[in-house]
Amino acid sequence: MINKYSNICMHEDGHDGGAAPENCTHDCSTCGADCASREGGIQKAQLNPYSSVKKVIGVVSGKGGVGKSMVTALSAIAATRNGYRTGIMDADITGPSIPKMFGVHTKAYGSDYGILPETTPLDIKMMSINLLVENETDPVVWRGPVIGGVVEQFWTDVYWEDLDVLFIDMPPGTGDVPLTVFQSIPIDGIIVVTSPQDLVSMIVGKAVKMANLMNIPVLGLVENMSYITCPDCGRKIEMFGPSQAKAVAAEYGIKLLEQLPIDPILSQEADLGKIEFNEGTQMESILEVLDDLGLKAE
Ligand code: ADP
């Protein structure tokens, strides 16, 4: 009938198998129509009352392994270095890699204000399932609704204190869990990460349509692993042929924020938990996004 987690009426694309009532606005929070789609709608989760988070940016990808966590980490680092109070919520519950990239292996603990996020040397606040499970190599073998519930708790129960921007490393794809996250957390916009071998047009199209359905703006596209620089002659080599990122961004009317090369040093630093020590300027394009969102650095 309708996605039971949503307050968005799905009549438009026929998911409920029924016709739209007259005057249906496809948004149950504004629509006066009395219809079955209204049943079971959920509200946005309430942020921990002790936290203050000005803007929330979701980082999404069509599938795992394209560098979504890397782009999340680099964006958070660029924002922090430029004076924004920044946090990362690692919502990729079954494949959490944020703590490892930052070399955080401690456990989160509670306080009167809520669960305390870890703080990195640069002062990025972070929460991940790996800060809560006893052994970080244990797999999370939970069903979608349980995973969705945990992510929601990262919003309601974590003491984020006072953030300008919270980046959410979203679960990959457009399945049950990302949908729940989109619907329960008030996301101000998403950044789509693709890689050149990733059937860019189709993946971007899916992400853009999903975001449109949720009324969430797409803030930009990042093509990761776009090329490699020859260590001998410095020439840019596009291993998967000429990049389609520019054309695809134009096709969907979104900004191409950055094309990141494959950088073996970056990947080594991420593996060693030293991503913050990289002195590059990758993902500084995020500053323009933050500016567009009306955020001002301190
Ligand atoms: P995802 O979050 O999409 O699953 P990750 O960000 O975890 O992907 O990246 C997958 C792997 O690729 C990691 O080992 C990461 O260090 C590496 N990686 C990602 N982006 C780059 C890059 N631009 N250069 C080199 N290695 C990268």
Side-chain angles (χ1 to χ4, degrees), residues 64-70 97 101 224-225 261-263 266-267 270-271:
V66 300
K68 177 176 52 60
S69 305
M70 179 67 88
S97 44
M101 282 183 172
N224 189 32
M225 310 195 203
I262 292 185
D263 178 349
L266 197 60
S267 123
D271 275 354

Side-chain angles (χ1 to χ4, degrees), residues 195-197 223-230 237 239-240 259-267 282:
S195 59
Q197 73 277 36
E223 186 182 59
N224 189 32
M225 310 195 203
S226 183
Y227 59 92
I228 189 153
T229 308
C230 171
I237 303 167
M239 299 87 57
F240 303 100
Q259 289 174 285
L260 294 170
I262 292 185
D263 178 349
I265 293 174
L266 197 60
S267 123
Q282 303 94 331

Side-chain angles (χ1 to χ4, degrees), residues 46-65:
Q46 290 298 313
L47 178 65
N48 177 344
Y50 297 108
S51 301
S52 162
V53 179
K54 289 195 186 125
K55 294 290 173 190
V56 180
I57 297 179
V59 184
V60 310
S61 67
K63 62 174 195 233

Side-chain angles (χ1 to χ4, degrees), residues 42-204:
I42 60 158
Q43 300 297 316
K44 293 274 185 230
Q46 290 298 313
L47 178 65
N48 177 344
Y50 297 108
S51 301
S52 162
V53 179
K54 289 195 186 125
K55 294 290 173 190
V56 180
I57 297 179
V59 184
V60 310
S61 67
K63 62 174 195 233
V66 300
K68 177 176 52 60
S69 305
M70 179 67 88
V71 168
T72 308
L74 293 173
S75 301
I77 291 169
T80 307
R81 283 189 183 142
N82 285 279
Y84 293 93
R85 285 161 304 187
T86 307
I88 302 179
M89 181 199 286
D90 185 0
D92 194 348
I93 302 291
T94 53
S97 44
I98 293 291
K100 185 169 187 282
M101 282 183 172
F102 285 86
V104 171
H105 299 284
T106 44
K107 297 293 161 219
Y109 53 95
S111 75
D112 288 346
Y113 301 104
I115 305 167
L116 297 175
E118 267 307 326
T119 305
T120 72
L122 260 185
D123 201 25
I124 297 171
K125 308 280 183 227
M126 160 194 312
M127 181 48 66
S128 168
I129 193 71
N130 268 7
L131 306 183
L132 299 172
V133 292
E134 202 169 315
N135 186 348
E136 62 183 25
T137 56
D138 286 347
V140 169
V141 245
W142 299 335
R143 294 193 189 277
V146 179
I147 297 177
V150 171
V151 178
E152 203 173 304
Q153 276 186 283
F154 284 176
W155 181 249
T156 55
D157 295 5
V158 170
Y159 176 44
W160 289 108
E161 225 176 309
D162 191 10
L163 294 184
D164 292 315
V165 57
L166 176 67
F167 291 97
I168 304 188
D169 185 3
M170 296 283 286
T174 51
D176 186 35
V177 180
L179 191 60
T180 309
V181 180
F182 268 130
Q183 292 173 339
S184 55
I185 297 180
I187 295 175
D188 294 287
I190 59 163
I191 291 172
V192 182
V193 183
T194 62
S195 59
Q197 73 277 36
D198 192 23
L199 301 170
V200 191
S201 178
M202 188 187 73
I203 300 292
V204 175

